[in-house]
Amino acid sequence: MSTTFKGYNKEQLQDIFIAMATSRRMDEKMLTLLRQGKSFFHIGAAGHEGAQLACAMNMNPGVDWVYPYYRDQTLVLGLGMAVEDFFLGFLAKRDDPSSGGRQLPQHYGKKDLNILSQSSSTGTQFLQAVGTALAVRKAGEDALVYVSSGEGTTSQGEFHEAMNWASREKLPVLFHIEDNGYAISVPKASQMTGGSVYDMVAGYLNLNRFETDGTDFFSAYETFDNAITHIRAGNGPALVVSNVVRLFPHSSSDDHRKYRDSEELAEEQKRDPLEKFRKLCEDNGIINSEEFQTLWEQVIHSVDAAAEKTLAAPYPDKSEALTHIIDETPVVVASTEAGTVGDDIVIVDAINHALHEEMAFNDKMIIYGQDVADGKGGVFSATRGLSTSFGTDRVFNSPLAEASIIGTAVGAAMAGLKPVVEIQFGDYIWTAMMQIRNELATIRYRSNNAFSAAMVMRVPVGGYIHGGLCHSQSIEGFFMHLPGIHIAYPSNAADAKGLLKYACRIDDPVLFLEHKGLYRQGFAKRPEPDEDYLLPFGQASVVREGRDITIVTYGMMVHKSLEAAKQLEKSHAAEIEVIDLRTLSPLDKVTIGKSLQKTSRVVVVYEDTFTAGPGAEIAAIIAEEFFELLDGPVLRVAAKDSPVPFNWDLEDVVLPQTEDVRRAVERLLEY
């Protein structure tokens, strides 16, 4: 009897089989528990085990970074996740290391293994992996970044955006595409021209491509050895396409017999990686069938014992349901008053100065976006001088792709950098919405506080500049729906500087909205606060004292409200109090309540559309929490429910004007 096979001794081969068999048995046991009503969802790795284990055995656990997808059970098992960890997640137990029971099963994450928290979104992980690779390079780490998906996900645009960025920068990213022929029920032939991911990505320069039989552990191991050696040598990213089989339905919610005939399923079973491994070892006289049976029985015993143990583990306490949405230990600021002040500056200069100061303060801060580097320095000049002062490794232009900008920033932030990125116009942020809504906003919550993505998204917004439909949008109403993201919206230069510097210090994502129409306005000028000035979120400012009516507003509307208040003081001797919210999330309800104790009447003024805009939510809060203080209805002044037209006369009709505010206050004065 031979003692080695393909360079492995008998003990090593037994260990390989045990690892693959453990994953298979976990799938079987989870499906049993699901049928018993112990859990409600499962998505398996059966048929993918050989390729995944081969890859894991070539990686450096805890040093390399990992973005697995939902079918990567054997990979993360091979990297060091314990069997109990999987069942804690499957059963939604308190000590589930991936999410504390907050996510569906098979959504892996473990901080000490650099397995980054995974969401259910398909394809978003690729750009995040690129961002983490940027952080790895900046830190000088001898590490690679693994990211995977099935072949169906390569139809997503963000996959190609990631391939483009990683190839252009020669980043240490291992793209693993596990091709089992089906995206749920859609066959590969319906997914791509030619039916080959390997051929499809041939045009990416600096990308080394590999294709392997993922059902053959030995073939897959050699392929991953070559691919990872290429990456670690500094030669850029590599793509490995593993041709595998999906032996179970897509998930426990699927029945693949509806779209795969019995002959096809029988052929798939013949390519089972466990059976192929077993046969090779038996045929070459390394491990006999009786020994394999003994190993399988050992696996059944160990997996079932782990499952039984976790069945008795505690569930999360209900009191934990609303924890870890945002950082619960924010930056403490001793005073919100500037120690010293300088000359009057406009908002765009205040933003530029804040960025300069924070870049000097934090060497982990990076700035990028479209056109942000010198000599352009941003289309509004907000980032001028930064790449000259701090170098193009810290301040650089990105591809013209908003999802790329946000997605890579998420990955860089999770790996320890502080990205401050610019979306050139708020009107074009929508291609990044998946990255913002399903990824960025949920990272802290879905990882049960194991991971965070502290980054700032600077976004010019708003109208009054004759920008037409796609350069005039107010976007804040959409983003107020997203727990986990702060929203700052300054109306003057001093606030802009203090809020932006605070945004750069906290351990949470921030949407920092900058009104284009205020960038250089003289009425938004203020004396410049010193470099130590930080303005915490959730602290509104009473910019005009009054006793008759309260106006609650923010951004450009602060100035139109102040104009209306001055007119009403002359025409009606009315004392109008104006509150500048400064941030929309968190919202300062305390200042609103104190004002209503004096005035008992309120108008909410905002530039977003009237229906379902931010003012609708603010009005609802006022009606619910301060109803007994009110002596009249809560009125709203907002943009019409219309796109913003280019023609300046039509634009005036659509966007709220000083006269609109004045008329609303006059109406309320009658109560």
Side-chain angles (χ1 to χ4, degrees), residues 534-566:
L534 304 178
L535 181 54
F537 295 167
Q539 297 186 9
S541 174
V542 179
V543 293
R544 179 186 173 94
E545 298 277 353
R547 60 179 176 80
D548 293 321
I549 284 178
T550 298
I551 295 177
V552 178
T553 188
Y554 58 91
M556 174 68 87
M557 295 301 97
V558 170
H559 304 283
K560 294 197 177 295
S561 296
L562 288 171
E563 290 175 1
K566 291 175 184 177

Side-chain angles (χ1 to χ4, degrees), residues 211-275:
E211 190 162 20
T212 191
D213 180 357
T215 66
D216 181 339
F217 168 83
F218 301 103
S219 174
Y221 185 93
E222 183 179 358
T223 301
F224 281 107
D225 182 27
N226 291 335
I228 289 174
T229 298
H230 167 88
I231 295 169
R232 295 202 195 280
N235 295 322
L239 169 87
V240 175
V241 178
S242 296
N243 292 296
V244 294
V245 290
R246 197 186 76 195
L247 299 179
F248 292 174
H250 168 73
S251 72
S252 56
S253 301
D254 176 44
D255 181 355
H256 60 184
R257 294 171 300 179
K258 293 180 178 179
Y259 50 89
R260 304 176 78 182
D261 60 37
S262 57
E263 290 79 9
E264 179 185 349
L265 293 173
E267 285 299 313
E268 293 279 273
Q269 291 294 331
K270 294 177 182 178
R271 297 183 61 210
D272 183 339
L274 270 72
E275 293 307 314

Side-chain angles (χ1 to χ4, degrees), residues 523-600:
F523 55 71
K525 278 186 173 182
R526 294 293 185 275
E528 181 175 9
D530 61 35
E531 65 181 23
D532 296 323
Y533 177 61
L534 304 178
L535 181 54
F537 295 167
Q539 297 186 9
S541 174
V542 179
V543 293
R544 179 186 173 94
E545 298 277 353
R547 60 179 176 80
D548 293 321
I549 284 178
T550 298
I551 295 177
V552 178
T553 188
Y554 58 91
M556 174 68 87
M557 295 301 97
V558 170
H559 304 283
K560 294 197 177 295
S561 296
L562 288 171
E563 290 175 1
K566 291 175 184 177
Q567 293 175 8
L568 288 158
E569 184 176 29
K570 291 180 180 179
S571 62
H572 293 71
E575 296 181 17
I576 309 302
E577 182 148 298
V578 179
I579 295 174
D580 179 358
L581 290 172
R582 290 172 163 166
T583 63
L584 296 172
S585 180
L587 191 69
D588 184 357
K589 295 186 285 187
V590 173
T591 296
I592 295 172
K594 287 181 178 178
S595 181
L596 290 176
Q597 287 177 343
K598 292 188 296 180
T599 67
S600 299

